[in-house]
Amino acid sequence: MKKIKYFIPSFILMIIIFMFSQQTGNESSGLSSQIVLWIQTYLHIPITELIVRKAAHMSEYAVLTLTFIYGFYKNQYPLKKIIVYSLICAFLYACTDEFHQLFIGGRAGQFIDVLIDTCGALIAIVIYYFYNYWKRKNSSLK
Protein backbone atom coordinates (compact mmCIF):
# COMPACT_ATOMS: atom_id res chain seq x y z
CA MET A 1 0.00 0.00 0.00
CA LYS A 2 1.33 3.42 -0.98
CA LYS A 3 1.93 5.88 1.82
CA ILE A 4 0.59 9.39 1.40
CA LYS A 5 2.57 10.63 4.43
CA TYR A 6 5.65 10.99 2.23
CA PHE A 7 3.84 13.64 0.22
CA ILE A 8 3.19 15.88 3.24
CA PRO A 9 6.15 18.15 2.28
CA SER A 10 4.57 18.51 -1.19
CA PHE A 11 1.20 19.47 0.29
CA ILE A 12 2.81 22.01 2.62
CA LEU A 13 4.74 23.62 -0.21
CA MET A 14 1.65 23.70 -2.42
CA ILE A 15 -0.19 25.57 0.35
CA ILE A 16 2.69 28.06 0.62
CA ILE A 17 2.68 28.60 -3.16
CA PHE A 18 -1.10 29.04 -3.04
CA MET A 19 -0.73 31.69 -0.32
CA PHE A 20 1.85 33.61 -2.39
CA SER A 21 -0.49 33.42 -5.39
CA GLN A 22 -3.31 34.75 -3.23
CA GLN A 23 -1.46 38.08 -2.86
CA THR A 24 -2.73 40.93 -4.99
CA GLY A 25 -0.51 42.32 -7.74
CA ASN A 26 0.53 45.24 -5.52
CA GLU A 27 1.41 42.99 -2.59
CA SER A 28 3.41 40.63 -4.77
CA SER A 29 5.20 43.48 -6.52
CA GLY A 30 6.01 45.11 -3.17
CA LEU A 31 7.66 41.93 -1.90
CA SER A 32 9.67 41.57 -5.12
CA SER A 33 10.74 45.21 -4.93
CA GLN A 34 12.02 44.72 -1.38
CA ILE A 35 14.08 41.73 -2.49
CA VAL A 36 15.50 43.67 -5.46
CA LEU A 37 16.41 46.57 -3.17
CA TRP A 38 18.15 44.22 -0.71
CA ILE A 39 20.14 42.52 -3.49
CA GLN A 40 21.18 45.85 -4.99
CA THR A 41 22.06 47.39 -1.61
CA TYR A 42 23.89 44.55 0.09
CA LEU A 43 25.16 42.39 -2.75
CA HIS A 44 25.74 45.26 -5.20
CA ILE A 45 24.26 43.28 -8.06
CA PRO A 46 22.20 45.19 -10.60
CA ILE A 47 19.04 43.11 -11.01
CA THR A 48 15.50 43.73 -12.17
CA GLU A 49 12.25 42.81 -10.47
CA LEU A 50 11.36 40.62 -13.45
CA ILE A 51 14.44 38.46 -12.94
CA VAL A 52 13.73 38.13 -9.22
CA ARG A 53 10.11 37.15 -9.87
CA LYS A 54 10.95 34.54 -12.50
CA ALA A 55 13.83 33.13 -10.44
CA ALA A 56 11.40 32.77 -7.54
CA HIS A 57 8.99 30.85 -9.80
CA MET A 58 11.74 28.49 -10.93
CA SER A 59 13.10 27.99 -7.42
CA GLU A 60 9.80 27.25 -5.74
CA TYR A 61 8.86 24.72 -8.42
CA ALA A 62 12.30 23.10 -8.29
CA VAL A 63 11.82 22.58 -4.56
CA LEU A 64 8.23 21.39 -5.07
CA THR A 65 9.47 18.86 -7.62
CA LEU A 66 12.08 17.60 -5.15
CA THR A 67 9.29 17.00 -2.62
CA PHE A 68 7.36 15.02 -5.24
CA ILE A 69 10.51 13.03 -6.02
CA TYR A 70 10.88 12.28 -2.32
CA GLY A 71 7.28 11.05 -2.07
CA PHE A 72 7.52 8.77 -5.09
CA TYR A 73 10.97 7.52 -4.05
CA LYS A 74 9.80 6.63 -0.55
CA ASN A 75 6.88 4.77 -2.11
CA GLN A 76 9.45 2.72 -4.04
CA TYR A 77 8.53 3.79 -7.55
CA PRO A 78 11.12 2.99 -10.24
CA LEU A 79 13.39 5.84 -11.35
CA LYS A 80 11.60 6.49 -14.65
CA LYS A 81 8.21 6.79 -12.94
CA ILE A 82 9.64 9.01 -10.21
CA ILE A 83 10.92 11.42 -12.84
CA VAL A 84 7.83 11.39 -15.07
CA TYR A 85 5.26 11.57 -12.25
CA SER A 86 7.15 14.34 -10.45
CA LEU A 87 7.33 16.41 -13.62
CA ILE A 88 3.65 15.87 -14.37
CA CYS A 89 2.64 16.82 -10.81
CA ALA A 90 4.71 20.02 -10.91
CA PHE A 91 3.36 20.97 -14.35
CA LEU A 92 -0.26 20.35 -13.34
CA TYR A 93 0.14 22.33 -10.13
CA ALA A 94 1.73 25.18 -12.10
CA CYS A 95 -1.31 25.16 -14.40
CA THR A 96 -3.74 25.31 -11.48
CA ASP A 97 -1.67 28.02 -9.80
CA GLU A 98 -1.77 30.25 -12.88
CA PHE A 99 -5.51 29.58 -13.26
CA HIS A 100 -5.98 30.61 -9.62
CA GLN A 101 -4.15 33.88 -10.31
CA LEU A 102 -6.76 34.80 -12.94
CA PHE A 103 -9.14 35.52 -10.06
CA ILE A 104 -6.74 37.67 -7.99
CA GLY A 105 -6.73 41.45 -8.38
CA GLY A 106 -3.73 42.77 -10.27
CA ARG A 107 -2.54 39.27 -11.20
CA ALA A 108 -2.63 37.51 -14.53
CA GLY A 109 -2.34 33.80 -15.04
CA GLN A 110 0.15 33.36 -17.85
CA PHE A 111 1.18 30.21 -19.66
CA ILE A 112 4.75 31.54 -19.89
CA ASP A 113 4.85 31.30 -16.07
CA VAL A 114 3.75 27.66 -16.32
CA LEU A 115 6.70 27.07 -18.65
CA ILE A 116 9.08 28.88 -16.27
CA ASP A 117 7.76 26.81 -13.36
CA THR A 118 8.22 23.66 -15.42
CA CYS A 119 11.81 24.68 -16.21
CA GLY A 120 12.42 24.84 -12.47
CA ALA A 121 10.93 21.34 -12.19
CA LEU A 122 13.19 20.10 -14.99
CA ILE A 123 16.25 21.54 -13.25
CA ALA A 124 15.33 19.62 -10.09
CA ILE A 125 14.83 16.45 -12.11
CA VAL A 126 18.20 16.80 -13.84
CA ILE A 127 19.88 17.34 -10.47
CA TYR A 128 18.11 14.29 -9.04
CA TYR A 129 18.94 12.16 -12.07
CA PHE A 130 22.65 12.98 -11.91
CA TYR A 131 22.70 12.54 -8.14
CA ASN A 132 21.08 9.15 -8.56
CA TYR A 133 23.56 8.24 -11.32
CA TRP A 134 26.51 9.34 -9.15
CA LYS A 135 25.16 7.41 -6.16
CA ARG A 136 24.76 4.19 -8.18
CA LYS A 137 28.17 4.59 -9.80
CA ASN A 138 29.91 5.08 -6.45
CA SER A 139 28.09 2.17 -4.82
CA SER A 140 29.18 -0.15 -7.65
CA LEU A 141 32.82 0.80 -7.07
CA LYS A 142 32.79 -0.56 -3.53
Side-chain angles (χ1 to χ4, degrees):
M1 184 166 148
K2 305 297 178 190
K3 296 182 182 161
I4 198 165
K5 70 180 181 181
Y6 297 117
F7 290 98
I8 290 173
S10 302
F11 297 135
I12 291 170
L13 195 50
M14 287 189 291
I15 290 168
I16 291 169
I17 291 170
F18 180 88
M19 289 170 34
F20 276 118
S21 293
Q22 191 68 22
Q23 294 177 329
T24 65
N26 288 338
E27 292 169 331
S28 179
S29 182
L31 178 60
S32 297
S33 296
Q34 289 176 350
I35 294 169
V36 167
L37 182 62
W38 187 89
I39 291 171
Q40 290 174 345
T41 303
Y42 296 105
L43 301 179
H44 308 290
I45 298 172
I47 193 166
T48 66
E49 185 177 326
L50 179 69
I51 292 172
V52 167
R53 292 175 73 83
K54 301 312 172 188
H57 270 267
M58 288 180 74
S59 301
E60 67 190 8
Y61 277 86
V63 174
L64 178 62
T65 302
L66 290 173
T67 66
F68 286 133
I69 288 170
Y70 171 77
F72 290 120
Y73 173 80
K74 292 300 273 185
N75 278 289
Q76 300 176 339
Y77 280 77
L79 178 63
K80 189 181 281 189
K81 285 187 178 183
I82 291 171
I83 289 170
V84 171
Y85 291 172
S86 296
L87 181 61
I88 289 170
C89 288
F91 173 77
L92 291 176
Y93 192 72
C95 290
T96 63
D97 183 49
E98 291 304 314
F99 180 74
H100 167 233
Q101 288 181 30
L102 291 172
F103 304 99
I104 306 300
R107 302 292 292 265
Q110 299 178 342
F111 189 69
I112 189 72
D113 283 344
V114 172
L115 296 177
I116 291 168
D117 298 341
T118 305
C119 283
L122 284 169
I123 290 168
I125 286 170
V126 168
I127 290 169
Y128 173 71
Y129 180 82
F130 282 112
Y131 168 77
N132 196 26
Y133 173 79
W134 173 80
K135 191 170 116 179
R136 282 187 302 182
K137 185 177 177 182
N138 284 342
S139 67
S140 68
L141 295 175
K142 292 181 183 181

